[in-house]
Amino acid sequence: MTKEEWEAKQNSLKKDVKYVPTGNPGEVVAEEINPKDYETKLNPKDEEKFQVWLDDKYKKGQIQKGDYDFYKANDYGYSYDFRAAFKNKDAGGISPVDNQWHWNDYGKKPNHETFSNESKYYAEVAKPGVGGSWDGENYMKNPSIGAPVPPTKQALKKIK
């Protein structure tokens, strides 16, 4: 998708944008989403490998208990698509900010609090006030008026 195509899409969507106010003047949040709709599909062989990978990452402390339990109970992630991380061969890492394990934004779903233009799902749902971008370690929310920050090249290379 070129920059021109992205801008045309955003302009065509402006009249259809529905905002959910937060109670703070000028601030909006994303509408409720069904996180099951934002999960990478894997073939049966890769799904088997993913389940082993998921268990291994949990045992190593690289996936939090709540996220792991949600996956095991529902077969999808609530706010993060670990299948996308698995398929994209993402490794995650320790953040120097909080010294905690974090995964990159590629698998973040639209309901994640720091959903950004680096997510594979951003191009589908980005609109004014939804998502944001990173400037180093600082998360910047998209403004509630005007076009959102365009997706990164990595995000545009969606893996279905």
Side-chain angles (χ1 to χ4, degrees), residues 36 39 47 50-51 54-55 58 63-78 83:
K36 188 175 185 177
E39 190 72 26
E47 182 64 28
F50 167 73
Q51 292 298 328
L54 185 71
D55 293 342
Y58 172 67
I63 295 177
Q64 294 181 357
K65 182 172 176 30
D67 291 333
Y68 179 79
D69 290 346
F70 191 91
Y71 251 97
K72 290 301 187 176
N74 300 285
D75 199 36
Y76 64 91
Y78 179 72
R83 284 182 176 90

mmCIF file with all atom_site columns, all heavy atoms in Angstrom, residues 36 39 47 50-51 54-55 58 63-78 83:
data_model
loop_
_atom_site.group_PDB
_atom_site.id
_atom_site.type_symbol
_atom_site.label_atom_id
_atom_site.label_alt_id
_atom_site.label_comp_id
_atom_site.label_asym_id
_atom_site.label_entity_id
_atom_site.label_seq_id
_atom_site.pdbx_PDB_ins_code
_atom_site.Cartn_x
_atom_site.Cartn_y
_atom_site.Cartn_z
_atom_site.occupancy
_atom_site.B_iso_or_equiv
_atom_site.pdbx_formal_charge
_atom_site.auth_seq_id
_atom_site.auth_comp_id
_atom_site.auth_asym_id
_atom_site.auth_atom_id
_atom_site.pdbx_PDB_model_num
ATOM 1   N N   . LYS A 1 36 ? -10.867 -12.354 19.337 1.00 0.00 ? 36 LYS A N   1
ATOM 2   C CA  . LYS A 1 36 ? -10.804 -13.607 18.574 1.00 0.00 ? 36 LYS A CA  1
ATOM 3   C C   . LYS A 1 36 ? -10.666 -13.324 17.077 1.00 0.00 ? 36 LYS A C   1
ATOM 4   O O   . LYS A 1 36 ? -10.110 -14.128 16.331 1.00 0.00 ? 36 LYS A O   1
ATOM 5   C CB  . LYS A 1 36 ? -12.061 -14.440 18.848 1.00 0.00 ? 36 LYS A CB  1
ATOM 6   C CG  . LYS A 1 36 ? -12.019 -15.817 18.272 1.00 0.00 ? 36 LYS A CG  1
ATOM 7   C CD  . LYS A 1 36 ? -13.244 -16.607 18.691 1.00 0.00 ? 36 LYS A CD  1
ATOM 8   C CE  . LYS A 1 36 ? -13.132 -18.041 18.217 1.00 0.00 ? 36 LYS A CE  1
ATOM 9   N NZ  . LYS A 1 36 ? -14.267 -18.843 18.675 1.00 0.00 ? 36 LYS A NZ  1
ATOM 10  N N   . GLU A 1 39 ? -6.428  -12.882 15.254 1.00 0.00 ? 39 GLU A N   1
ATOM 11  C CA  . GLU A 1 39 ? -5.532  -13.990 15.616 1.00 0.00 ? 39 GLU A CA  1
ATOM 12  C C   . GLU A 1 39 ? -5.021  -14.625 14.337 1.00 0.00 ? 39 GLU A C   1
ATOM 13  O O   . GLU A 1 39 ? -5.811  -14.961 13.444 1.00 0.00 ? 39 GLU A O   1
ATOM 14  C CB  . GLU A 1 39 ? -6.271  -15.026 16.468 1.00 0.00 ? 39 GLU A CB  1
ATOM 15  C CG  . GLU A 1 39 ? -5.399  -16.068 17.078 1.00 0.00 ? 39 GLU A CG  1
ATOM 16  C CD  . GLU A 1 39 ? -4.517  -15.557 18.215 1.00 0.00 ? 39 GLU A CD  1
ATOM 17  O OE1 . GLU A 1 39 ? -4.878  -14.562 18.878 1.00 0.00 ? 39 GLU A OE1 1
ATOM 18  O OE2 . GLU A 1 39 ? -3.461  -16.162 18.450 1.00 0.00 ? 39 GLU A OE2 1
ATOM 19  N N   . GLU A 1 47 ? 0.675   -25.154 13.894 1.00 0.00 ? 47 GLU A N   1
ATOM 20  C CA  . GLU A 1 47 ? -0.072  -25.016 15.151 1.00 0.00 ? 47 GLU A CA  1
ATOM 21  C C   . GLU A 1 47 ? 0.527   -25.907 16.231 1.00 0.00 ? 47 GLU A C   1
ATOM 22  O O   . GLU A 1 47 ? 0.642   -25.492 17.393 1.00 0.00 ? 47 GLU A O   1
ATOM 23  C CB  . GLU A 1 47 ? -1.552  -25.341 14.935 1.00 0.00 ? 47 GLU A CB  1
ATOM 24  C CG  . GLU A 1 47 ? -2.406  -25.177 16.171 1.00 0.00 ? 47 GLU A CG  1
ATOM 25  C CD  . GLU A 1 47 ? -2.495  -23.763 16.715 1.00 0.00 ? 47 GLU A CD  1
ATOM 26  O OE1 . GLU A 1 47 ? -2.371  -22.792 15.946 1.00 0.00 ? 47 GLU A OE1 1
ATOM 27  O OE2 . GLU A 1 47 ? -2.702  -23.621 17.946 1.00 0.00 ? 47 GLU A OE2 1
ATOM 28  N N   . PHE A 1 50 ? 3.577   -24.224 17.342 1.00 0.00 ? 50 PHE A N   1
ATOM 29  C CA  . PHE A 1 50 ? 3.225   -23.043 18.133 1.00 0.00 ? 50 PHE A CA  1
ATOM 30  C C   . PHE A 1 50 ? 2.892   -23.420 19.571 1.00 0.00 ? 50 PHE A C   1
ATOM 31  O O   . PHE A 1 50 ? 3.311   -22.745 20.515 1.00 0.00 ? 50 PHE A O   1
ATOM 32  C CB  . PHE A 1 50 ? 2.041   -22.292 17.503 1.00 0.00 ? 50 PHE A CB  1
ATOM 33  C CG  . PHE A 1 50 ? 1.442   -21.273 18.423 1.00 0.00 ? 50 PHE A CG  1
ATOM 34  C CD1 . PHE A 1 50 ? 2.114   -20.084 18.706 1.00 0.00 ? 50 PHE A CD1 1
ATOM 35  C CD2 . PHE A 1 50 ? 0.225   -21.500 19.054 1.00 0.00 ? 50 PHE A CD2 1
ATOM 36  C CE1 . PHE A 1 50 ? 1.575   -19.150 19.587 1.00 0.00 ? 50 PHE A CE1 1
ATOM 37  C CE2 . PHE A 1 50 ? -0.320  -20.581 19.924 1.00 0.00 ? 50 PHE A CE2 1
ATOM 38  C CZ  . PHE A 1 50 ? 0.361   -19.393 20.187 1.00 0.00 ? 50 PHE A CZ  1
ATOM 39  N N   . GLN A 1 51 ? 2.131   -24.483 19.762 1.00 0.00 ? 51 GLN A N   1
ATOM 40  C CA  . GLN A 1 51 ? 1.740   -24.896 21.117 1.00 0.00 ? 51 GLN A CA  1
ATOM 41  C C   . GLN A 1 51 ? 2.971   -25.251 21.957 1.00 0.00 ? 51 GLN A C   1
ATOM 42  O O   . GLN A 1 51 ? 3.040   -24.885 23.142 1.00 0.00 ? 51 GLN A O   1
ATOM 43  C CB  . GLN A 1 51 ? 0.749   -26.065 21.065 1.00 0.00 ? 51 GLN A CB  1
ATOM 44  C CG  . GLN A 1 51 ? -0.603  -25.701 20.487 1.00 0.00 ? 51 GLN A CG  1
ATOM 45  C CD  . GLN A 1 51 ? -1.349  -24.651 21.291 1.00 0.00 ? 51 GLN A CD  1
ATOM 46  O OE1 . GLN A 1 51 ? -1.240  -24.558 22.512 1.00 0.00 ? 51 GLN A OE1 1
ATOM 47  N NE2 . GLN A 1 51 ? -2.139  -23.825 20.604 1.00 0.00 ? 51 GLN A NE2 1
ATOM 48  N N   . LEU A 1 54 ? 4.661   -21.887 22.694 1.00 0.00 ? 54 LEU A N   1
ATOM 49  C CA  . LEU A 1 54 ? 3.914   -21.152 23.716 1.00 0.00 ? 54 LEU A CA  1
ATOM 50  C C   . LEU A 1 54 ? 4.227   -21.700 25.108 1.00 0.00 ? 54 LEU A C   1
ATOM 51  O O   . LEU A 1 54 ? 4.504   -20.925 26.034 1.00 0.00 ? 54 LEU A O   1
ATOM 52  C CB  . LEU A 1 54 ? 2.413   -21.248 23.430 1.00 0.00 ? 54 LEU A CB  1
ATOM 53  C CG  . LEU A 1 54 ? 1.483   -20.431 24.325 1.00 0.00 ? 54 LEU A CG  1
ATOM 54  C CD1 . LEU A 1 54 ? 1.618   -18.941 24.032 1.00 0.00 ? 54 LEU A CD1 1
ATOM 55  C CD2 . LEU A 1 54 ? 0.036   -20.875 24.120 1.00 0.00 ? 54 LEU A CD2 1
ATOM 56  N N   . ASP A 1 55 ? 4.186   -23.020 25.257 1.00 0.00 ? 55 ASP A N   1
ATOM 57  C CA  . ASP A 1 55 ? 4.501   -23.643 26.547 1.00 0.00 ? 55 ASP A CA  1
ATOM 58  C C   . ASP A 1 55 ? 5.928   -23.312 26.981 1.00 0.00 ? 55 ASP A C   1
ATOM 59  O O   . ASP A 1 55 ? 6.169   -22.997 28.154 1.00 0.00 ? 55 ASP A O   1
ATOM 60  C CB  . ASP A 1 55 ? 4.323   -25.164 26.470 1.00 0.00 ? 55 ASP A CB  1
ATOM 61  C CG  . ASP A 1 55 ? 2.873   -25.591 26.274 1.00 0.00 ? 55 ASP A CG  1
ATOM 62  O OD1 . ASP A 1 55 ? 1.962   -24.777 26.528 1.00 0.00 ? 55 ASP A OD1 1
ATOM 63  O OD2 . ASP A 1 55 ? 2.659   -26.750 25.856 1.00 0.00 ? 55 ASP A OD2 1
ATOM 64  N N   . TYR A 1 58 ? 6.246   -19.669 28.101 1.00 0.00 ? 58 TYR A N   1
ATOM 65  C CA  . TYR A 1 58 ? 5.639   -19.505 29.418 1.00 0.00 ? 58 TYR A CA  1
ATOM 66  C C   . TYR A 1 58 ? 6.568   -20.041 30.515 1.00 0.00 ? 58 TYR A C   1
ATOM 67  O O   . TYR A 1 58 ? 6.799   -19.370 31.521 1.00 0.00 ? 58 TYR A O   1
ATOM 68  C CB  . TYR A 1 58 ? 4.279   -20.214 29.465 1.00 0.00 ? 58 TYR A CB  1
ATOM 69  C CG  . TYR A 1 58 ? 3.699   -20.252 30.853 1.00 0.00 ? 58 TYR A CG  1
ATOM 70  C CD1 . TYR A 1 58 ? 3.285   -19.075 31.484 1.00 0.00 ? 58 TYR A CD1 1
ATOM 71  C CD2 . TYR A 1 58 ? 3.598   -21.441 31.544 1.00 0.00 ? 58 TYR A CD2 1
ATOM 72  C CE1 . TYR A 1 58 ? 2.771   -19.102 32.771 1.00 0.00 ? 58 TYR A CE1 1
ATOM 73  C CE2 . TYR A 1 58 ? 3.084   -21.478 32.833 1.00 0.00 ? 58 TYR A CE2 1
ATOM 74  C CZ  . TYR A 1 58 ? 2.673   -20.306 33.444 1.00 0.00 ? 58 TYR A CZ  1
ATOM 75  O OH  . TYR A 1 58 ? 2.178   -20.330 34.716 1.00 0.00 ? 58 TYR A OH  1
ATOM 76  N N   . ILE A 1 63 ? 6.159   -15.253 28.799 1.00 0.00 ? 63 ILE A N   1
ATOM 77  C CA  . ILE A 1 63 ? 4.730   -14.986 28.628 1.00 0.00 ? 63 ILE A CA  1
ATOM 78  C C   . ILE A 1 63 ? 4.117   -15.029 30.019 1.00 0.00 ? 63 ILE A C   1
ATOM 79  O O   . ILE A 1 63 ? 4.334   -15.982 30.770 1.00 0.00 ? 63 ILE A O   1
ATOM 80  C CB  . ILE A 1 63 ? 4.060   -16.026 27.700 1.00 0.00 ? 63 ILE A CB  1
ATOM 81  C CG1 . ILE A 1 63 ? 4.632   -15.912 26.287 1.00 0.00 ? 63 ILE A CG1 1
ATOM 82  C CG2 . ILE A 1 63 ? 2.543   -15.849 27.704 1.00 0.00 ? 63 ILE A CG2 1
ATOM 83  C CD1 . ILE A 1 63 ? 4.094   -16.935 25.308 1.00 0.00 ? 63 ILE A CD1 1
ATOM 84  N N   . GLN A 1 64 ? 3.378   -13.986 30.360 1.00 0.00 ? 64 GLN A N   1
ATOM 85  C CA  . GLN A 1 64 ? 2.784   -13.909 31.691 1.00 0.00 ? 64 GLN A CA  1
ATOM 86  C C   . GLN A 1 64 ? 1.697   -14.959 31.879 1.00 0.00 ? 64 GLN A C   1
ATOM 87  O O   . GLN A 1 64 ? 1.038   -15.381 30.928 1.00 0.00 ? 64 GLN A O   1
ATOM 88  C CB  . GLN A 1 64 ? 2.207   -12.514 31.926 1.00 0.00 ? 64 GLN A CB  1
ATOM 89  C CG  . GLN A 1 64 ? 3.251   -11.440 31.974 1.00 0.00 ? 64 GLN A CG  1
ATOM 90  C CD  . GLN A 1 64 ? 2.644   -10.070 32.221 1.00 0.00 ? 64 GLN A CD  1
ATOM 91  O OE1 . GLN A 1 64 ? 1.431   -9.901  32.305 1.00 0.00 ? 64 GLN A OE1 1
ATOM 92  N NE2 . GLN A 1 64 ? 3.508   -9.077  32.342 1.00 0.00 ? 64 GLN A NE2 1
ATOM 93  N N   . LYS A 1 65 ? 1.501   -15.357 33.127 1.00 0.00 ? 65 LYS A N   1
ATOM 94  C CA  . LYS A 1 65 ? 0.531   -16.398 33.477 1.00 0.00 ? 65 LYS A CA  1
ATOM 95  C C   . LYS A 1 65 ? -0.868  -16.075 32.963 1.00 0.00 ? 65 LYS A C   1
ATOM 96  O O   . LYS A 1 65 ? -1.544  -16.932 32.396 1.00 0.00 ? 65 LYS A O   1
ATOM 97  C CB  . LYS A 1 65 ? 0.510   -16.624 34.985 1.00 0.00 ? 65 LYS A CB  1
ATOM 98  C CG  . LYS A 1 65 ? -0.456  -17.728 35.407 1.00 0.00 ? 65 LYS A CG  1
ATOM 99  C CD  . LYS A 1 65 ? -0.332  -18.070 36.867 1.00 0.00 ? 65 LYS A CD  1
ATOM 100 C CE  . LYS A 1 65 ? -1.317  -19.082 37.363 1.00 0.00 ? 65 LYS A CE  1
ATOM 101 N NZ  . LYS A 1 65 ? -1.815  -20.084 36.454 1.00 0.00 ? 65 LYS A NZ  1
ATOM 102 N N   . GLY A 1 66 ? -1.316  -14.835 33.151 1.00 0.00 ? 66 GLY A N   1
ATOM 103 C CA  . GLY A 1 66 ? -2.658  -14.461 32.696 1.00 0.00 ? 66 GLY A CA  1
ATOM 104 C C   . GLY A 1 66 ? -2.818  -14.604 31.194 1.00 0.00 ? 66 GLY A C   1
ATOM 105 O O   . GLY A 1 66 ? -3.835  -15.109 30.712 1.00 0.00 ? 66 GLY A O   1
ATOM 106 N N   . ASP A 1 67 ? -1.815  -14.181 30.425 1.00 0.00 ? 67 ASP A N   1
ATOM 107 C CA  . ASP A 1 67 ? -1.862  -14.313 28.969 1.00 0.00 ? 67 ASP A CA  1
ATOM 108 C C   . ASP A 1 67 ? -1.850  -15.787 28.564 1.00 0.00 ? 67 ASP A C   1
ATOM 109 O O   . ASP A 1 67 ? -2.602  -16.206 27.685 1.00 0.00 ? 67 ASP A O   1
ATOM 110 C CB  . ASP A 1 67 ? -0.676  -13.601 28.318 1.00 0.00 ? 67 ASP A CB  1
ATOM 111 C CG  . ASP A 1 67 ? -0.754  -12.090 28.445 1.00 0.00 ? 67 ASP A CG  1
ATOM 112 O OD1 . ASP A 1 67 ? -1.874  -11.560 28.543 1.00 0.00 ? 67 ASP A OD1 1
ATOM 113 O OD2 . ASP A 1 67 ? 0.310   -11.448 28.435 1.00 0.00 ? 67 ASP A OD2 1
ATOM 114 N N   . TYR A 1 68 ? -0.998  -16.555 29.201 1.00 0.00 ? 68 TYR A N   1
ATOM 115 C CA  . TYR A 1 68 ? -0.879  -17.982 28.906 1.00 0.00 ? 68 TYR A CA  1
ATOM 116 C C   . TYR A 1 68 ? -2.184  -18.711 29.228 1.00 0.00 ? 68 TYR A C   1
ATOM 117 O O   . TYR A 1 68 ? -2.702  -19.468 28.401 1.00 0.00 ? 68 TYR A O   1
ATOM 118 C CB  . TYR A 1 68 ? 0.280   -18.572 29.710 1.00 0.00 ? 68 TYR A CB  1
ATOM 119 C CG  . TYR A 1 68 ? 0.485   -20.052 29.512 1.00 0.00 ? 68 TYR A CG  1
ATOM 120 C CD1 . TYR A 1 68 ? 1.132   -20.530 28.379 1.00 0.00 ? 68 TYR A CD1 1
ATOM 121 C CD2 . TYR A 1 68 ? 0.031   -20.960 30.460 1.00 0.00 ? 68 TYR A CD2 1
ATOM 122 C CE1 . TYR A 1 68 ? 1.325   -21.896 28.195 1.00 0.00 ? 68 TYR A CE1 1
ATOM 123 C CE2 . TYR A 1 68 ? 0.222   -22.327 30.290 1.00 0.00 ? 68 TYR A CE2 1
ATOM 124 C CZ  . TYR A 1 68 ? 0.874   -22.791 29.154 1.00 0.00 ? 68 TYR A CZ  1
ATOM 125 O OH  . TYR A 1 68 ? 1.060   -24.142 28.979 1.00 0.00 ? 68 TYR A OH  1
ATOM 126 N N   . ASP A 1 69 ? -2.734  -18.462 30.407 1.00 0.00 ? 69 ASP A N   1
ATOM 127 C CA  . ASP A 1 69 ? -3.984  -19.109 30.812 1.00 0.00 ? 69 ASP A CA  1
ATOM 128 C C   . ASP A 1 69 ? -5.133  -18.747 29.871 1.00 0.00 ? 69 ASP A C   1
ATOM 129 O O   . ASP A 1 69 ? -5.968  -19.588 29.534 1.00 0.00 ? 69 ASP A O   1
ATOM 130 C CB  . ASP A 1 69 ? -4.344  -18.751 32.256 1.00 0.00 ? 69 ASP A CB  1
ATOM 131 C CG  . ASP A 1 69 ? -3.408  -19.384 33.272 1.00 0.00 ? 69 ASP A CG  1
ATOM 132 O OD1 . ASP A 1 69 ? -2.637  -20.301 32.916 1.00 0.00 ? 69 ASP A OD1 1
ATOM 133 O OD2 . ASP A 1 69 ? -3.438  -18.941 34.442 1.00 0.00 ? 69 ASP A OD2 1
ATOM 134 N N   . PHE A 1 70 ? -5.178  -17.478 29.435 1.00 0.00 ? 70 PHE A N   1
ATOM 135 C CA  . PHE A 1 70 ? -6.230  -17.052 28.518 1.00 0.00 ? 70 PHE A CA  1
ATOM 136 C C   . PHE A 1 70 ? -6.102  -17.820 27.202 1.00 0.00 ? 70 PHE A C   1
ATOM 137 O O   . PHE A 1 70 ? -7.092  -18.303 26.650 1.00 0.00 ? 70 PHE A O   1
ATOM 138 C CB  . PHE A 1 70 ? -6.165  -15.535 28.273 1.00 0.00 ? 70 PHE A CB  1
ATOM 139 C CG  . PHE A 1 70 ? -7.368  -15.004 27.555 1.00 0.00 ? 70 PHE A CG  1
ATOM 140 C CD1 . PHE A 1 70 ? -8.460  -14.538 28.253 1.00 0.00 ? 70 PHE A CD1 1
ATOM 141 C CD2 . PHE A 1 70 ? -7.414  -14.989 26.161 1.00 0.00 ? 70 PHE A CD2 1
ATOM 142 C CE1 . PHE A 1 70 ? -9.589  -14.062 27.584 1.00 0.00 ? 70 PHE A CE1 1
ATOM 143 C CE2 . PHE A 1 70 ? -8.533  -14.521 25.484 1.00 0.00 ? 70 PHE A CE2 1
ATOM 144 C CZ  . PHE A 1 70 ? -9.621  -14.052 26.196 1.00 0.00 ? 70 PHE A CZ  1
ATOM 145 N N   . TYR A 1 71 ? -4.872  -17.937 26.697 1.00 0.00 ? 71 TYR A N   1
ATOM 146 C CA  . TYR A 1 71 ? -4.642  -18.701 25.460 1.00 0.00 ? 71 TYR A CA  1
ATOM 147 C C   . TYR A 1 71 ? -5.096  -20.150 25.614 1.00 0.00 ? 71 TYR A C   1
ATOM 148 O O   . TYR A 1 71 ? -5.767  -20.695 24.736 1.00 0.00 ? 71 TYR A O   1
ATOM 149 C CB  . TYR A 1 71 ? -3.159  -18.683 25.069 1.00 0.00 ? 71 TYR A CB  1
ATOM 150 C CG  . TYR A 1 71 ? -2.872  -17.852 23.849 1.00 0.00 ? 71 TYR A CG  1
ATOM 151 C CD1 . TYR A 1 71 ? -2.429  -16.550 23.975 1.00 0.00 ? 71 TYR A CD1 1
ATOM 152 C CD2 . TYR A 1 71 ? -3.044  -18.365 22.564 1.00 0.00 ? 71 TYR A CD2 1
ATOM 153 C CE1 . TYR A 1 71 ? -2.165  -15.776 22.861 1.00 0.00 ? 71 TYR A CE1 1
ATOM 154 C CE2 . TYR A 1 71 ? -2.785  -17.600 21.449 1.00 0.00 ? 71 TYR A CE2 1
ATOM 155 C CZ  . TYR A 1 71 ? -2.345  -16.306 21.599 1.00 0.00 ? 71 TYR A CZ  1
ATOM 156 O OH  . TYR A 1 71 ? -2.094  -15.548 20.491 1.00 0.00 ? 71 TYR A OH  1
ATOM 157 N N   . LYS A 1 72 ? -4.709  -20.764 26.701 1.00 0.00 ? 72 LYS A N   1
ATOM 158 C CA  . LYS A 1 72 ? -5.045  -22.177 26.903 1.00 0.00 ? 72 LYS A CA  1
ATOM 159 C C   . LYS A 1 72 ? -6.553  -22.379 27.052 1.00 0.00 ? 72 LYS A C   1
ATOM 160 O O   . LYS A 1 72 ? -7.099  -23.370 26.587 1.00 0.00 ? 72 LYS A O   1
ATOM 161 C CB  . LYS A 1 72 ? -4.301  -22.739 28.122 1.00 0.00 ? 72 LYS A CB  1
ATOM 162 C CG  . LYS A 1 72 ? -2.815  -22.886 27.885 1.00 0.00 ? 72 LYS A CG  1
ATOM 163 C CD  . LYS A 1 72 ? -2.552  -23.804 26.704 1.00 0.00 ? 72 LYS A CD  1
ATOM 164 C CE  . LYS A 1 72 ? -1.103  -24.137 26.520 1.00 0.00 ? 72 LYS A CE  1
ATOM 165 N NZ  . LYS A 1 72 ? -0.843  -25.085 25.448 1.00 0.00 ? 72 LYS A NZ  1
ATOM 166 N N   . ALA A 1 73 ? -7.242  -21.429 27.670 1.00 0.00 ? 73 ALA A N   1
ATOM 167 C CA  . ALA A 1 73 ? -8.687  -21.554 27.880 1.00 0.00 ? 73 ALA A CA  1
ATOM 168 C C   . ALA A 1 73 ? -9.496  -21.199 26.629 1.00 0.00 ? 73 ALA A C   1
ATOM 169 O O   . ALA A 1 73 ? -10.564 -21.771 26.392 1.00 0.00 ? 73 ALA A O   1
ATOM 170 C CB  . ALA A 1 73 ? -9.128  -20.668 29.042 1.00 0.00 ? 73 ALA A CB  1
ATOM 171 N N   . ASN A 1 74 ? -8.996  -20.254 25.822 1.00 0.00 ? 74 ASN A N   1
ATOM 172 C CA  . ASN A 1 74 ? -9.779  -19.720 24.703 1.00 0.00 ? 74 ASN A CA  1
ATOM 173 C C   . ASN A 1 74 ? -9.219  -20.006 23.319 1.00 0.00 ? 74 ASN A C   1
ATOM 174 O O   . ASN A 1 74 ? -9.882  -19.752 22.324 1.00 0.00 ? 74 ASN A O   1
ATOM 175 C CB  . ASN A 1 74 ? -9.943  -18.210 24.868 1.00 0.00 ? 74 ASN A CB  1
ATOM 176 C CG  . ASN A 1 74 ? -10.648 -17.856 26.151 1.00 0.00 ? 74 ASN A CG  1
ATOM 177 O OD1 . ASN A 1 74 ? -11.853 -18.020 26.258 1.00 0.00 ? 74 ASN A OD1 1
ATOM 178 N ND2 . ASN A 1 74 ? -9.900  -17.402 27.142 1.00 0.00 ? 74 ASN A ND2 1
ATOM 179 N N   . ASP A 1 75 ? -7.972  -20.432 23.249 1.00 0.00 ? 75 ASP A N   1
ATOM 180 C CA  . ASP A 1 75 ? -7.276  -20.709 21.991 1.00 0.00 ? 75 ASP A CA  1
ATOM 181 C C   . ASP A 1 75 ? -7.006  -19.440 21.167 1.00 0.00 ? 75 ASP A C   1
ATOM 182 O O   . ASP A 1 75 ? -6.875  -19.500 19.944 1.00 0.00 ? 75 ASP A O   1
ATOM 183 C CB  . ASP A 1 75 ? -8.012  -21.757 21.156 1.00 0.00 ? 75 ASP A CB  1
ATOM 184 C CG  . ASP A 1 75 ? -7.105  -22.380 20.102 1.00 0.00 ? 75 ASP A CG  1
ATOM 185 O OD1 . ASP A 1 75 ? -5.905  -22.569 20.388 1.00 0.00 ? 75 ASP A OD1 1
ATOM 186 O OD2 . ASP A 1 75 ? -7.586  -22.658 18.982 1.00 0.00 ? 75 ASP A OD2 1
ATOM 187 N N   . TYR A 1 76 ? -6.967  -18.310 21.823 1.00 0.00 ? 76 TYR A N   1
ATOM 188 C CA  . TYR A 1 76 ? -6.537  -17.055 21.188 1.00 0.00 ? 76 TYR A CA  1
ATOM 189 C C   . TYR A 1 76 ? -6.110  -16.117 22.305 1.00 0.00 ? 76 TYR A C   1
ATOM 190 O O   . TYR A 1 76 ? -6.433  -16.326 23.473 1.00 0.00 ? 76 TYR A O   1
ATOM 191 C CB  . TYR A 1 76 ? -7.645  -16.433 20.328 1.00 0.00 ? 76 TYR A CB  1
ATOM 192 C CG  . TYR A 1 76 ? -8.882  -16.004 21.088 1.00 0.00 ? 76 TYR A CG  1
ATOM 193 C CD1 . TYR A 1 76 ? -9.010  -14.714 21.598 1.00 0.00 ? 76 TYR A CD1 1
ATOM 194 C CD2 . TYR A 1 76 ? -9.935  -16.896 21.275 1.00 0.00 ? 76 TYR A CD2 1
ATOM 195 C CE1 . TYR A 1 76 ? -10.140 -14.335 22.301 1.00 0.00 ? 76 TYR A CE1 1
ATOM 196 C CE2 . TYR A 1 76 ? -11.073 -16.525 21.957 1.00 0.00 ? 76 TYR A CE2 1
ATOM 197 C CZ  . TYR A 1 76 ? -11.173 -15.236 22.464 1.00 0.00 ? 76 TYR A CZ  1
ATOM 198 O OH  . TYR A 1 76 ? -12.291 -14.858 23.144 1.00 0.00 ? 76 TYR A OH  1
ATOM 199 N N   . GLY A 1 77 ? -5.370  -15.083 21.936 1.00 0.00 ? 77 GLY A N   1
ATOM 200 C CA  . GLY A 1 77 ? -4.908  -14.115 22.922 1.00 0.00 ? 77 GLY A CA  1
ATOM 201 C C   . GLY A 1 77 ? -5.899  -12.990 23.107 1.00 0.00 ? 77 GLY A C   1
ATOM 202 O O   . GLY A 1 77 ? -6.647  -12.649 22.185 1.00 0.00 ? 77 GLY A O   1
ATOM 203 N N   . TYR A 1 78 ? -5.915  -12.404 24.294 1.00 0.00 ? 78 TYR A N   1
ATOM 204 C CA  . TYR A 1 78 ? -6.845  -11.302 24.551 1.00 0.00 ? 78 TYR A CA  1
ATOM 205 C C   . TYR A 1 78 ? -6.389  -10.003 23.880 1.00 0.00 ? 78 TYR A C   1
ATOM 206 O O   . TYR A 1 78 ? -7.136  -9.406  23.112 1.00 0.00 ? 78 TYR A O   1
ATOM 207 C CB  . TYR A 1 78 ? -7.053  -11.089 26.048 1.00 0.00 ? 78 TYR A CB  1
ATOM 208 C CG  . TYR A 1 78 ? -7.989  -9.939  26.312 1.00 0.00 ? 78 TYR A CG  1
ATOM 209 C CD1 . TYR A 1 78 ? -9.348  -10.071 26.044 1.00 0.00 ? 78 TYR A CD1 1
ATOM 210 C CD2 . TYR A 1 78 ? -7.519  -8.713  26.765 1.00 0.00 ? 78 TYR A CD2 1
ATOM 211 C CE1 . TYR A 1 78 ? -10.220 -9.013  26.225 1.00 0.00 ? 78 TYR A CE1 1
ATOM 212 C CE2 . TYR A 1 78 ? -8.385  -7.658  26.963 1.00 0.00 ? 78 TYR A CE2 1
ATOM 213 C CZ  . TYR A 1 78 ? -9.729  -7.792  26.691 1.00 0.00 ? 78 TYR A CZ  1
ATOM 214 O OH  . TYR A 1 78 ? -10.578 -6.750  26.861 1.00 0.00 ? 78 TYR A OH  1
ATOM 215 N N   . ARG A 1 83 ? 0.540   -16.026 18.084 1.00 0.00 ? 83 ARG A N   1
ATOM 216 C CA  . ARG A 1 83 ? 0.754   -16.778 16.843 1.00 0.00 ? 83 ARG A CA  1
ATOM 217 C C   . ARG A 1 83 ? 1.466   -15.894 15.817 1.00 0.00 ? 83 ARG A C   1
ATOM 218 O O   . ARG A 1 83 ? 2.309   -16.377 15.064 1.00 0.00 ? 83 ARG A O   1
ATOM 219 C CB  . ARG A 1 83 ? -0.569  -17.297 16.291 1.00 0.00 ? 83 ARG A CB  1
ATOM 220 C CG  . ARG A 1 83 ? -1.118  -18.489 17.044 1.00 0.00 ? 83 ARG A CG  1
ATOM 221 C CD  . ARG A 1 83 ? -2.423  -19.015 16.434 1.00 0.00 ? 83 ARG A CD  1
ATOM 222 N NE  . ARG A 1 83 ? -2.861  -20.207 17.113 1.00 0.00 ? 83 ARG A NE  1
ATOM 223 C CZ  . ARG A 1 83 ? -3.669  -20.223 18.171 1.00 0.00 ? 83 ARG A CZ  1
ATOM 224 N NH1 . ARG A 1 83 ? -4.144  -19.090 18.672 1.00 0.00 ? 83 ARG A NH1 1
ATOM 225 N NH2 . ARG A 1 83 ? -4.014  -21.372 18.731 1.00 0.00 ? 83 ARG A NH2 1
#
